[in-house]
């Protein structure tokens, strides 16, 4: 009886908890008036909170482009591992969670499992920088079209992240010194 109950509850629990991996952290909203076509292209990672899948990587970038069938966005994340002396690359896909005019997507690099990708601050005029968060306050990225951000923009994004409850003192400032290969 107990084993049967576990077999029933485990898939149900999985279905209940899975959306939490893509939702926004409490009290945070994604940008609206988002325009995917302007966001597509290459972004450099300026800073991030530490997590295992990027640990030890420098010169990290992300390239976003429409998938050939138009149903999603292809995501190519790339970074340099000094320990291995090589570039590391992973390809995934992103889909809007709801209204495509809201900068809230889900991204998958590993099969059916998605994580939240929420743009919470964006250079609305030129799309030159973005502040992106995941499903919890453990995930934060500062991205830019160039390898460096002006000091005033950097400070504005740090202030915004701090106001949203992120531990900005734990940010890793990503070296961007290697040429794109």
């Amino acid at each position: 009886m107990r084993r049967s109950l576990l077999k029933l509850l485990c898939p149900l629990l999985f279905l209940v908890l899975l959306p939490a991996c893509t939702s926004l952290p409490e009290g945070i909203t994604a940008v609206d008036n988002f325009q995917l076509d302007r966001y597509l292209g290459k972004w450099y990672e300026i800073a991030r909170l530490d997590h295992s899948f990027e640990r030890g990587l420098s010169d990290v970038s992300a390239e976003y482009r429409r998938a050939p069938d138009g149903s999603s966005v292809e995501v190519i994340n790339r970074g340099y591992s000094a320990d291995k002396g090589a570039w590391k690359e992973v390809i995934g896909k992103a889909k809007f969670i709801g209204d495509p005019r809201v900068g809230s997507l889900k991204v998958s690099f590993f099969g059916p499992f998605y994580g939240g990708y929420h743009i919470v601050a964006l250079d609305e005029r030129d799309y030159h920088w973005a502040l992106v968060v995941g499903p919890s306050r453990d995930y934060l990225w500062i991205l830019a079209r160039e390898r460096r951000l002006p000091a005033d923009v950097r400070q504005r994004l740090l202030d915004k992240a701090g106001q949203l409850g992120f531990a900005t003192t734990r940010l890793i400032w990503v070296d961007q010194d290697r040429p794109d290969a």
Side-chain angles (χ1 to χ4, degrees), residues 140-158:
L140 175 75
W141 295 268
I142 295 175
L143 305 177
R145 295 291 189 173
E146 303 292 327
R147 295 172 185 273
R148 310 275 184 271
L149 267 178
D152 63 320
V153 173
R154 183 172 152 162
Q155 189 58 55
R156 194 165 61 230
L157 292 172
L158 281 173

Side-chain angles (χ1 to χ4, degrees), residues 49-61:
L49 288 177
D50 188 33
H51 43 77
S52 62
F53 50 92
E54 282 187 287
R55 190 162 293 139
L57 296 181
S58 67
D59 305 282
V60 178
S61 65

Side-chain angles (χ1 to χ4, degrees), residues 39-172:
Y39 197 80
L40 297 175
K42 188 165 197 162
W43 290 84
Y44 293 95
E45 188 177 271
I46 305 301
R48 68 173 178 261
L49 288 177
D50 188 33
H51 43 77
S52 62
F53 50 92
E54 282 187 287
R55 190 162 293 139
L57 296 181
S58 67
D59 305 282
V60 178
S61 65
E63 176 97 22
Y64 304 95
R65 57 185 177 214
R66 286 194 185 274
D69 67 1
S71 68
S72 63
V73 174
E74 185 178 62
V75 181
I76 303 166
N77 281 357
R78 190 164 193 266
Y80 187 78
S81 170
D83 289 346
K84 294 184 179 177
W87 290 94
K88 181 178 172 184
E89 182 175 285
V90 62
I91 299 173
K93 65 181 174 180
K95 296 180 177 187
F96 283 98
I97 292 175
D99 185 341
R101 294 171 297 179
V102 176
S104 196
L105 298 99
K106 59 183 182 178
V107 180
S108 175
F109 293 99
F110 308 105
F113 303 103
Y114 283 86
Y117 181 99
H118 310 285
I119 303 152
V120 297
L122 179 64
D123 171 18
E124 293 175 15
R125 192 179 112 206
D126 299 316
Y127 278 52
H128 280 182
W129 50 260
L131 183 65
V132 178
V133 306
S136 74
R137 285 179 171 80
D138 293 327
Y139 299 94
L140 175 75
W141 295 268
I142 295 175
L143 305 177
R145 295 291 189 173
E146 303 292 327
R147 295 172 185 273
R148 310 275 184 271
L149 267 178
D152 63 320
V153 173
R154 183 172 152 162
Q155 189 58 55
R156 194 165 61 230
L157 292 172
L158 281 173
D159 291 346
K160 171 80 173 177
Q163 291 165 4
L164 295 174
F166 288 87
T168 58
T169 58
R170 292 186 16 233
L171 280 171
I172 294 168

Side-chain angles (χ1 to χ4, degrees), residues 11-22:
L12 184 59
L13 187 60
F14 178 76
L15 289 174
V16 169
L17 294 177
L18 192 58
C21 295
T22 60

